[in-house]
């Protein structure tokens, strides 16, 4: 089986050449160099790129993707069992993210949906920056109790 050049991988994966170089710089994929110093990729890189793209689409960070991919074998195409282990790592994180996004959506609908922006009820209001003592960001929307 012949290895693939960077252009062929880009065409078949739907990812730009610059994205391939970026993924490689982050350690998400690997290539070898030909005698003419051209990047050559094994065919299993197409499956890895597909996983990277899907994982990014559902909001998994490149760092988490890299950690998961580092657990997969480099010397062979990952098996169904390999992918099942990888997806199990993300399943719990995605469930937590869905729960958090649902909570945020429901809270924002109550505030932005009515249009009143009542300062007595608004989860975005932070008079005198009192919640800044707890930490950065929108503390109430991040699950901190109202103060």
């Amino acid at each position: 089986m012949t290895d693939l050049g960077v252009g062929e991988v880009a065409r078949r994966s739907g990812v730009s050449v610059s994205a391939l170089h970026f993924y490689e710089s982050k350690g998400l994929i690997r290539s070898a160099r030909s005698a003419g110093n051209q990047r050559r990729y094994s065919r299993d890189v197409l499956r890895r790129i597909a996983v990277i793209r899907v994982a990014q689409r559902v909001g998994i960070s490149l760092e988490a993707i890299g950690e998961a991919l580092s657990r997969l074998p480099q010397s062979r195409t990952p098996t169904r069992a390999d992918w099942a282990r990888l997806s199990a790592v993300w399943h719990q994180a995605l469930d937590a993210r869905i729960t958090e996004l649902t909570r945020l959506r429901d809270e924002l609908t109550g505030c932005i949906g009515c249009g009143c922006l009542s300062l007595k009820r608004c989860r975005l209001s932070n008079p005198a920056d009192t919640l800044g003592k707890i930490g950065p960001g929108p503390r109430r929307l991040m699950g901190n109790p109202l103060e």
Side-chain angles (χ1 to χ4, degrees):
M1 220 185 275
T2 60
D3 290 336
L4 304 171
V6 68
E8 179 71 3
V9 172
R11 185 186 67 74
R12 291 188 54 193
S13 68
V15 173
S16 68
V17 170
S18 62
L20 293 175
H21 294 170
F22 177 75
Y23 291 162
E24 194 169 348
S25 74
K26 295 294 182 184
L28 301 175
I29 61 174
R30 294 187 341 184
S31 69
R33 294 291 181 154
S34 70
N37 202 29
Q38 295 175 332
R39 282 185 169 91
R40 304 300 295 173
Y41 296 91
S42 61
R43 292 183 178 276
D44 66 289
V45 78
L46 295 170
R47 191 172 295 172
R48 290 174 188 272
I49 293 168
V51 168
I52 293 166
R53 293 186 71 197
V54 169
Q56 284 183 297
R57 188 170 181 185
V58 297
I60 297 173
S61 70
L62 283 178
E63 182 180 349
I65 294 168
E67 288 173 19
L69 290 176
S70 71
R71 296 185 192 113
L72 294 178
Q74 292 291 331
S75 59
R76 64 171 169 80
T77 300
T79 64
R80 183 181 299 245
D82 293 328
W83 292 121
R85 282 191 302 278
L86 184 143
S87 66
V89 171
W90 291 337
H91 193 272
Q92 212 172 11
L94 287 173
D95 283 345
R97 185 174 172 93
I98 289 167
T99 299
E100 179 67 11
L101 288 171
T102 301
R103 185 182 68 75
L104 286 171
R105 180 204 60 209
D106 294 346
E107 289 179 7
L108 287 175
T109 300
C111 180
I112 296 170
C114 73
C116 75
L117 294 176
S118 169
L119 292 180
K120 290 183 180 178
R121 292 188 39 222
C122 183
R123 306 252 322 143
L124 300 173
S125 175
N126 182 15
D129 193 27
T130 56
L131 298 177
K133 296 172 191 157
I134 297 172
R139 302 315 302 178
R140 289 184 178 137
L141 291 178
M142 294 168 60
N144 290 105
L146 292 175
E147 293 187 354

